[in-house]
């Protein structure tokens, strides 16, 4: 991995920690991580992008690592998360960028493309598709569908409940997500609504092959001492997100877009309908299914992801 420099930016009323690598005047690419990850989840992408001439910006998103983690739930709505990145781009004087997002970083990337049609020249999303603003908040659909069964998003809704389980042992929590999150056990397992997240999930006895002990320690330090409250607040804004994005209800992502999904990623099951509708809202879409790959796609299959990413950039955001 290429050496990175950590910078602290005062933007949008918070402190945003950003790790940067690459030539000073390289075209900027923003890599936005998801839950429960960190900037280091992009470690396998840094060197290839820098070698291609890009400057790579990897924030610790609001609620993570050395960035601010406001207590209030409403401080984590989607447009506020976008404003953090927009403020950083403004501060850095960046007029043309490419934005890449994985997991929760993907909705931020999609909406940055909608909000910044001139500045965001190309967008890449991993795992989470986009098919426009739903007709009602997604949380309402989830509540109706999972009346008597466990659903991780519903479990995350009440502040303090999920925190008690996840914060008890940060390293254990991350191991459970890395293993169970990749193949769907955590989010697809059928169990009573009264269950906790880790009920019925076998505890892994080792790290997955794509995560070294050194990398795992970076993940652990992201949450050590602060827990998962800020990160979980992202899940508690579905209604607020729906309300605040009303002006974007009819908007399409007009930029060139690349979407990658692992064939074993449980999101493919949960978002099957969204995947079918995505081309109507993202007309310049290129999409690929990555074989033998779960949810942590850029870490599990970095060579394949990097190949798709570099080819896409060469066509739509060349150095």
């Amino acid at each position: 991995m290429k050496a990175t420099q950590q910078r602290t930016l005062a933007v949008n009323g918070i402190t945003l920690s950003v790790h940067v690598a690459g030539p000073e005047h390289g075209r900027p690419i923003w890599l936005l991580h998801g839950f429960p990850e960190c900037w280091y989840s992009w470690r396998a992408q840094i060197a290839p992008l820098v070698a291609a001439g890009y400057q790579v910006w990897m924030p610790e998103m609001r609620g993570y690592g050395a960035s601010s983690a406001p207590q209030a739930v409403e401080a984590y709505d989607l447009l506020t998360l976008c404003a953090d990145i927009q403020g950083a781009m403004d501060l850095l004087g960046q007029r043309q960028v490419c934005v890449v997002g994985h997991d929760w970083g993907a909705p931020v990337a999609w909406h940055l493309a909608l909000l910044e049609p001139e500045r965001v020249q190309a967008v890449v999303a991993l795992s989470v598709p986009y098919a426009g603003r739903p007709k009602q908040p997604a949380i309402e659909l989830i509540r109706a569908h999972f009346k008597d069964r466990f659903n991780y998003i519903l479990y995350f809704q009440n502040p303090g409940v999920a925190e008690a389980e996840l914060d008890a042992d940060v390293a254990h929590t991350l191991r459970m997500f890395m293993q169970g999150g990749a193949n769907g056990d955590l989010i697809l397992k059928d169990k009573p609504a009264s269950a906790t997240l880790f009920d019925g999930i076998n505890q892994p006895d080792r790290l997955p092959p794509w995560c070294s002990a050194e990398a795992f320690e970076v993940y652990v330090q992201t949450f050590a001492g602060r827990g998962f409250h800020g990160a979980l607040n992202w899940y508690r804004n579905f209604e607020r997100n729906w309300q605040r994005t009303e002006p974007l209800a009819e908007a399409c992502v007009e930029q060139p877009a690349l979407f990658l999904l692992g064939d074993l990623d449980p999101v493919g099951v949960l978002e099957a309908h969204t995947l079918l509708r995505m081309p109507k809202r993202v007309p310049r879409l290129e999409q690929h299914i990555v074989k033998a790959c779960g949810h942590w796609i850029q870490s599990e299959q970095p060579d394949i992801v990097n190949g798709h990413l570099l080819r896409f950039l060469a066509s739509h955001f060349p150095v």
Side-chain angles (χ1 to χ4, degrees):
M1 187 188 78
K2 291 286 186 180
T4 64
Q5 176 189 7
Q6 184 180 12
R7 296 184 59 178
T8 301
L9 307 179
V11 296
N12 198 29
I14 67 163
T15 296
L16 187 71
S17 169
V18 183
H19 294 258
V20 60
E24 182 178 354
H25 299 293
R27 299 199 80 183
I29 296 181
W30 284 79
L31 306 180
L32 312 179
H33 69 79
F35 173 90
E37 293 191 277
C38 62
W39 73 272
Y40 203 63
S41 65
W42 301 106
R43 59 195 175 278
Q45 283 66 56
I46 297 172
L49 289 172
V50 169
Y54 295 98
Q55 189 177 49
V56 185
W57 295 83
M58 297 158 291
E60 299 187 90
M61 303 295 279
R62 176 183 291 237
Y64 290 79
S67 292
S68 298
Q71 188 71 15
V73 169
E74 60 270 20
Y76 295 83
D77 73 77
L78 189 53
L79 294 190
T80 297
L81 299 169
C82 287
D84 292 345
I85 308 304
Q86 290 171 286
M89 293 174 182
D90 287 343
L91 186 64
L92 297 166
Q94 296 176 352
R95 297 183 179 180
Q96 292 187 340
V97 304
C98 174
V99 180
V100 182
H102 171 249
D103 186 80
W104 260 113
V108 178
W110 288 123
H111 282 79
L112 284 169
L114 293 172
L115 294 165
E116 297 270 7
E118 298 300 324
R119 176 151 53 186
V120 176
Q121 299 283 294
V123 59
V124 180
L126 313 181
S127 299
V128 178
Y130 177 75
R133 180 175 179 266
K135 294 182 179 180
Q136 63 187 106
I139 194 68
E140 294 182 6
L141 300 173
I142 296 170
R143 288 188 177 116
H145 189 68
F146 289 90
K147 290 180 180 178
D148 304 311
R149 292 181 295 142
F150 178 85
N151 176 269
Y152 75 106
I153 292 177
L154 296 182
Y155 180 66
F156 289 170
Q157 290 308 297
N158 294 323
V161 175
E163 284 90 335
E165 183 179 15
L166 274 60
D167 291 357
D169 187 334
V170 168
H172 173 260
T173 291
L174 291 171
R175 286 193 188 94
M176 294 292 279
F177 271 100
M178 286 178 174
Q179 300 286 48
N183 59 23
D185 286 351
L186 278 183
I187 65 176
L188 297 180
K189 190 175 182 64
D190 190 23
K191 51 189 178 182
S194 59
T196 65
L197 183 65
F198 298 147
D199 280 350
I201 308 298
N202 293 327
Q203 179 175 337
D205 58 3
R206 61 179 63 89
L207 293 171
W210 51 265
C211 186
S212 68
E214 176 189 30
F216 186 69
E217 183 59 26
V218 179
Y219 282 69
V220 171
Q221 289 305 312
T222 297
F223 300 97
R226 70 160 51 190
F228 293 87
H229 177 74
L232 288 166
N233 277 343
W234 290 49
Y235 286 91
R236 296 166 179 157
N237 276 277
F238 284 101
E239 293 182 12
R240 184 174 172 84
N241 291 344
W242 189 77
Q243 293 166 356
R244 293 203 66 200
T245 57
E246 184 178 4
L248 302 173
E250 301 303 320
C252 291
V253 175
E254 301 290 353
Q255 297 95 323
L258 173 66
F259 178 71
L260 303 177
L261 176 69
D263 63 342
L264 303 178
D265 191 334
V267 175
V269 176
L270 297 175
E271 297 284 358
H273 186 56
T274 305
L275 289 166
L276 291 175
R277 296 186 294 116
M278 183 162 53
K280 293 183 179 179
R281 288 292 184 176
V282 189
R284 300 175 67 185
L285 177 67
E286 173 188 340
Q287 54 184 324
H288 301 277
I289 300 297
V290 178
K291 301 295 184 182
C293 186
H295 184 64
W296 316 114
I297 181 169
Q298 73 268 36
S299 298
E300 293 182 55
Q301 296 287 358
D303 292 342
I304 295 174
V305 169
N306 293 344
H308 286 305
L309 180 57
L310 290 170
R311 283 191 295 271
F312 176 79
L313 293 171
S315 294
H316 302 292
F317 194 64
V319 175

